Amino acid sequence: MEALRQDDPRRFGPYTVLARVRETASAVQYLAHHASAADTADGTADHTVVITAARPELAALPAFRRRFEAEARTADRLAGGWVQPQLATCTDDGELWTAVAYVPALTLADAIDAAGPLPERAVRILGAGITETLSRVHATGAVLEGLAPRTVLLAGDGPRLTAFGPLGAAADAEARTGGQLSVRLGYLTPEQVEGETAGPASDLFVLGLLLAYAATGTTPLADGPTAEAAERIAHAEPELGAVPEDLRGLIARCLAKDPAERPSSGTVAAELALEGAAGLARGGWLPDQLSKTLAEQESRVRELVSEGAADERADSPAGTAPRASLTEPADATPDSPATGAPGDGGLGEDTRTTRIGSVGSPRAPEPDRPTTQLSIPRERTGPPDRLPVVLPPVAPLVPRPLPAPAAAIPTPPPPPVTPTPAPAPSSSSSSSSSPSAALDRRTLLFGAAAGAAGLIVGGGGVLALGSDGSDAPDDGKPAPSPSGPTVAGLPPQPRWVYGHPEAEPAPLTAALWRDRLLVLTGETQASAVDLRTGRRLWECPDAAKGQAALAAGDAFCFVAGPSEFLWLSPKDGTVAHRVAYENEFEGAPFLTVSDVIGQSGPAIWFTGSHKVTVKAKKPKKGEKRGKDTQVVTSFLFAYDIVRRKELWRTPVPTGRESTTPAYQLIAVRPDDIVVRQKSATLTPGDVKAAKGKAVFRGFDRTSGKLLWTKSFGTVGPDGAAVGDDQGLLYAAAGDALQSFEMPTGKPKWTLNGTPGSVFGTPVPAGALLHTTSRNQEVGAVERESGKLRWRRSTEAVPGGWAPVVTVSSSGSTVLAAGDAQVTAFAAADGRRLWKFQDIGVQDPKGATVTAPYRVLAFGKSAVVQRERMFYAFPVK
């Protein structure tokens, strides 16, 4: 960090510039503070930012602007975890900059210069954090190409990634004649040396170089003259003798010459830190010297912010730089040039300014040797080793053409589940049921090269991007898919993709009917999609606001609407039968029906309530007659949706504020069903009587008679719980998962979870119980003994809700659906199979999709939903 130079901007939008942070090949980074926080006594935490501003001479190039904007969009999509969210982006009126919140951090290169190689544990956390982000990129078939010692930051809680494409990680970038942009890369890969396109496996090779550098302070293969280094990268084996033994094998696999032999990012993340980077970093992860340096840096920044706020209040001239320790020396020469390699990401001694916050010794930092050793000199006296490759301008990321739909394989359907209603609809524009139309503004990459990041690089590490001239037309066509084997960890090609029309609100529920239809209910109608082709078949306005569709035998699709039961034709969606709640149930006029809580064969269960008038008691002689009162009476119903007949009803306590109680179905057993009332409908008296514990009830399946009422251990009203047909209950209590016999309450076993985390609802499947937790971990235990078979991280950011687990129809695949992704695991041993993310609309001004993912399994397929988008993936 250093003082501002005379020609540096003093303001970016609402941000007042305080100091220079560092230079890169394509941009200058500044420390800045939000102008609105100038009058606050202490506003650094929320208002101090790092501005990345494009170099003016490069920002004038259309090719550079498109690339800069594309990488900014990538950063925005990856926000969260180890990527700082963008607070502002400006691409208007000749300006080109982004802003992210300031976090005390050092570049990896500065950290190595200051304290030497990192300890093995720190290298593991560094690598796990990077690969957790890479796996999100690779899940769409895209490539990051943004790793270098000066693009990876070390913060107090873990690493941060700051570059999201070749521009951010470039060792040099310059304008060429004709409006072309020349970008010189630092770290190369064997395939790039041979002139081939980079793929996801290329990121793993660069990761191997980066981890070796972090562990030893030197980069294998990359030292020495450019031509020799390129030859070693292409053909020589890396020397890893100084790498810690436990890391050596993994790094060697990352540095394999053949991309197909490199591990996936998910595999590397699991081997480095099974509990995830955040879990391993708890309690600190950096050497004391680096932690002290970060504390000193944060203190200096606070001083700068305080000085800047004082300047704002004093109405200082716009060109006045902040004071404090940034004063210029007496012998400063304003016109003297800066020294050091241009664009290498490091700075030579600058005679115009006084440096502050230097890491280690007061000497000027050296250029980034691991990055620049592979660079081609800015000017050459002879012919180049390899000619640069000229590419057309950046085109939007586009999907690879989807294969023809495969026919669904009919198998017995899994039990329907009532999904949680989706959030309010977004304004994204995917409106056609056909795959091609549904993708027009979505970014979907399944094993294809990322158009905006798929740069072809020659052996010298130089590429050129065309101008807007006729020799580089931008026709917007998809980039060609790379040849070679499929990269491990990528999701399979979807059989079809369906986009719910933008003219309609997003679906409220989604359910499968007989492995033939995907039935969606919404605010305005219900609709059905053919599971074989992904094309919409029909709409039914009468079923608007209905609950998830169920199978009423083979003839009808059953939907519970707000005021009536409906039986729809699966062929065209017409209403074949309807039963109004107020007339169907004898003795319960004007019945209000809550959610259908479950189904087994033709029987469904639901709760309902109605008002009953209680007449006042007959007054005594001489007294005035009292008023009649109305009370709410509630029942649990069983109903046959094939015969359209009530089976039984049994009284249950009315919910909070005289509402219909909402129940959760815990288990369906041969002789009884087990339910638990949802906490939101419990009365204060119910909560007090249960002493903070959940109350489970068992009802006879034939008569509806209440058989037992029981609390189990310390399981709370909101604790995840599920039962099986063998009489066992599996429930979360604290950070443990426990098993009990029902109804005796006898404990069977306890599985301890990760400290501070909470288990989500497990899923029984055969002899195993598949678990999930808020630490974004999925696992498998033996149902009988509780013995842990395996536990894996999904690599999503810990926290939030636990992923929802779905098991494929064959029982071979476990799919974990969370807020950020869907991760598929092999049920037997927990191997990560693939990840999928729908990264949203391409238009940066489009609506952001925040809805969680959901999965519905049928036959040999799984339908993945995110709000209004649906993808049918083949699964085992």
Side-chain angles (χ1 to χ4, degrees):
M1 195 179 302
E2 59 182 68
L4 294 175
R5 301 175 183 177
Q6 290 183 349
D7 56 350
D8 281 330
R10 265 39 182 188
R11 187 177 293 275
F12 291 94
Y15 301 104
T16 300
V17 181
L18 304 177
R20 273 183 169 237
V21 177
R22 65 180 64 87
E23 292 187 33
T24 70
S26 59
V28 180
Q29 294 182 334
Y30 298 96
L31 183 73
H33 195 244
H34 198 296
S36 65
D39 294 329
T40 63
D42 183 5
T44 42
D46 295 329
H47 299 279
T48 307
V49 301
V50 174
I51 302 283
T52 300
R55 294 181 179 275
E57 66 274 18
L58 298 178
L61 299 176
F64 180 93
R65 295 185 68 87
R66 286 192 295 274
R67 183 68 57 181
F68 188 96
E69 292 170 6
E71 295 186 14
R73 288 195 298 271
T74 300
D76 193 49
R77 294 187 189 105
L78 293 175
W82 309 118
V83 176
Q84 290 292 99
Q86 293 185 2
L87 303 180
T89 302
C90 180
T91 59
D92 300 328
D93 300 326
E95 294 189 69
L96 205 59
W97 56 268
T98 63
V100 299
Y102 161 75
V103 173
L106 300 170
T107 67
L108 175 61
D110 284 342
I112 298 299
D113 285 345
L118 298 179
E120 179 182 334
R121 176 171 171 270
V123 175
R124 286 184 176 275
I125 294 169
L126 171 68
I130 293 173
T131 49
E132 286 169 9
T133 302
L134 285 180
S135 66
R136 296 167 60 195
V137 177
H138 295 170
T140 65
V143 192
L144 184 67
E145 291 191 286
L147 298 180
R150 293 193 182 276
T151 66
V152 176
L153 301 182
L154 309 187
D157 58 349
R160 296 290 191 281
L161 271 65
T162 65
F164 306 94
L167 279 189
D172 188 26
E174 61 179 334
R176 286 189 172 181
T177 305
Q180 290 185 334
L181 169 68
S182 174
V183 175
R184 174 163 46 92
L185 300 181
Y187 281 165
L188 295 181
T189 67
E191 53 270 28
Q192 289 174 305
V193 170
E194 298 299 330
E196 298 176 3
T197 305
S202 302
D203 284 334
L204 272 298
F205 186 91
V206 176
L207 175 72
L209 296 176
L210 201 68
L211 294 183
Y213 171 68
T216 66
T218 61
T219 307
L221 305 173
D223 291 332
T226 301
E228 295 178 8
E231 178 67 20
R232 285 195 300 272
I233 282 177
H235 303 292
E237 293 302 318
E239 175 52 56
L240 302 176
V243 175
E245 184 177 354
D246 289 345
L247 296 174
R248 198 175 301 153
L250 179 61
I251 292 177
R253 286 169 22 229
C254 290
L255 296 177
K257 306 302 180 190
D258 185 351
E261 295 179 0
R262 297 170 200 156
S264 68
S265 51
T267 298
V268 175
E271 291 193 30
L272 289 173
L274 190 59
E275 64 271 58
L280 188 57
R282 285 194 183 96
W285 70 293
L286 295 175
D288 291 343
Q289 182 178 348
L290 296 182
S291 297
K292 181 180 178 181
T293 302
L294 293 184
E296 292 172 351
Q297 180 193 107
E298 184 175 19
S299 176
R300 291 191 185 96
V301 168
R302 288 188 178 277
E303 291 177 6
L304 287 175
V305 170
S306 177
E307 291 287 339
D311 287 345
E312 289 280 339
R313 287 192 293 270
D315 255 341
S316 61
T320 303
R323 296 188 297 272
S325 54
L326 291 174
T327 54
E328 296 184 355
D331 60 348
T333 306
D335 295 329
S336 60
T339 61
D344 60 9
L347 300 174
E349 189 64 40
D350 183 358
T351 59
R352 294 181 294 175
T353 58
T354 299
R355 296 181 58 82
I356 68 166
S358 298
V359 178
S361 63
R363 63 179 172 83
E366 298 176 357
D368 180 4
R369 182 177 64 177
T371 301
T372 58
Q373 287 299 323
L374 292 181
S375 304
I376 294 177
R378 180 182 288 267
E379 296 182 2
R380 299 184 182 184
T381 57
D385 295 334
R386 296 178 188 267
L387 295 176
V389 178
V390 180
L391 294 183
V394 179
L397 295 174
V398 291
R400 194 163 71 181
L402 299 174
I409 301 176
T411 59
V417 178
T418 303
T420 304
S426 72
S427 60
S428 56
S429 62
S430 177
S431 60
S432 172
S433 62
S434 66
S436 58
L439 299 176
D440 57 0
R441 285 180 57 196
R442 312 290 293 199
T443 303
L444 299 175
L445 295 173
F446 301 99
L455 307 181
I456 301 175
V457 184
V462 174
L463 59 94
L465 300 179
S467 66
D468 286 331
S470 59
D471 58 339
D474 185 1
D475 58 7
K477 294 181 180 179
S481 300
S483 59
T486 302
V487 180
L490 296 181
Q493 289 281 357
R495 289 174 172 163
W496 50 258
V497 178
Y498 169 75
H500 199 65
E502 285 292 335
E504 301 175 17
L508 298 175
T509 72
L512 304 180
W513 186 87
R514 291 297 191 203
D515 286 2
R516 288 165 47 192
L517 300 178
L518 170 66
V519 182
L520 310 176
T521 64
E523 291 286 345
T524 59
Q525 63 185 11
S527 58
V529 176
D530 190 331
L531 284 176
R532 297 171 302 171
T533 64
R535 296 185 180 276
R536 178 183 274 199
L537 297 179
W538 50 257
E539 301 90 31
C540 178
D542 286 349
K545 300 182 181 179
Q547 298 178 39
L550 305 175
D554 294 326
F556 299 108
C557 174
F558 173 85
V559 175
S563 60
E564 59 185 347
F565 288 152
L566 299 172
W567 285 260
L568 310 181
S569 166
K571 295 181 179 179
D572 55 16
T574 56
V575 178
H577 305 283
R578 62 198 327 151
V579 170
Y581 302 148
E582 62 181 18
N583 301 323
E584 172 68 6
F585 300 94
E586 184 178 350
F590 305 105
L591 183 72
T592 299
V593 173
S594 185
D595 294 342
V596 174
I597 64 174
Q599 176 188 22
S600 179
I604 63 170
W605 299 280
F606 62 92
T607 53
S609 63
H610 71 106
K611 291 182 179 180
V612 176
T613 300
V614 179
K615 294 186 177 297
K617 293 182 180 180
K618 184 178 180 180
K620 295 180 181 179
K621 187 175 181 180
E623 293 182 352
K624 189 176 180 180
R625 187 179 184 277
K627 294 183 178 181
D628 295 342
T629 59
Q630 286 190 325
V631 297
V632 175
T633 302
S634 299
F635 301 92
L636 174 65
F637 289 86
Y639 190 90
D640 189 318
I641 59 175
V642 173
R643 294 185 293 162
R644 302 192 295 281
K645 176 182 179 182
E646 179 183 340
L647 299 177
W648 51 257
R649 75 178 77 169
T650 189
V652 294
T654 297
R656 178 178 297 182
E657 298 179 354
S658 299
T659 58
T660 304
Y663 277 18
Q664 175 189 3
L665 184 63
I666 300 298
V668 178
R669 305 194 295 176
D671 299 324
D672 64 357
I673 62 170
V674 181
V675 301
R676 176 179 63 177
Q677 188 170 340
K678 295 181 180 179
S679 62
T681 64
L682 290 171
T683 67
D686 293 334
V687 175
K688 184 177 180 181
K691 299 179 179 180
K693 298 180 180 179
V695 176
F696 297 84
R697 293 180 172 92
F699 293 90
D700 185 275
R701 286 187 64 176
T702 302
S703 65
K705 178 182 178 181
L706 177 63
L707 301 177
W708 53 267
T709 301
K710 183 74 175 179
S711 294
F712 295 88
T714 59
V715 178
D718 292 313
V722 70
D724 63 17
D725 57 0
Q726 302 300 314
L728 293 180
L729 174 72
Y730 312 98
D735 59 5
L737 184 67
Q738 295 180 297
S739 174
F740 302 90
E741 290 182 353
M742 293 189 293
T744 65
K746 179 181 178 181
K748 288 279 291 182
W749 49 259
T750 298
L751 174 69
N752 293 318
T754 306
S757 183
V758 177
F759 279 96
T761 304
V763 176
L768 297 179
L769 181 74
H770 294 287
T771 64
T772 175
S773 77
R774 293 187 185 179
N775 262 3
Q776 307 305 307
E777 294 174 332
V778 176
V781 300
E782 296 177 0
R783 286 168 61 179
E784 182 62 29
S785 65
K787 180 181 178 181
L788 182 65
R789 285 279 192 90
W790 55 265
R791 182 183 289 164
R792 300 285 185 270
S793 170
T794 65
E795 299 165 12
V797 180
W801 297 106
V804 177
V805 170
T806 302
V807 181
S808 65
S809 298
S810 68
S812 300
T813 305
V814 176
L815 299 113
D819 292 338
Q821 64 195 39
V822 173
T823 312
F825 300 87
D829 56 14
R831 285 179 296 109
R832 289 183 187 83
L833 302 176
W834 49 264
K835 289 185 180 182
F836 170 73
Q837 289 181 305
D838 167 12
I839 57 179
V841 295
Q842 176 70 13
D843 183 358
K845 296 181 180 179
T848 300
V849 178
T850 59
Y853 291 85
R854 291 188 283 180
V855 175
L856 299 169
F858 70 100
K860 294 184 177 180
S861 299
V863 174
V864 173
Q865 177 195 3
R866 196 178 197 201
E867 199 178 54
R868 59 179 65 248
M869 294 301 299
F870 297 82
Y871 312 84
F873 290 106
V875 296
K876 294 182 179 180

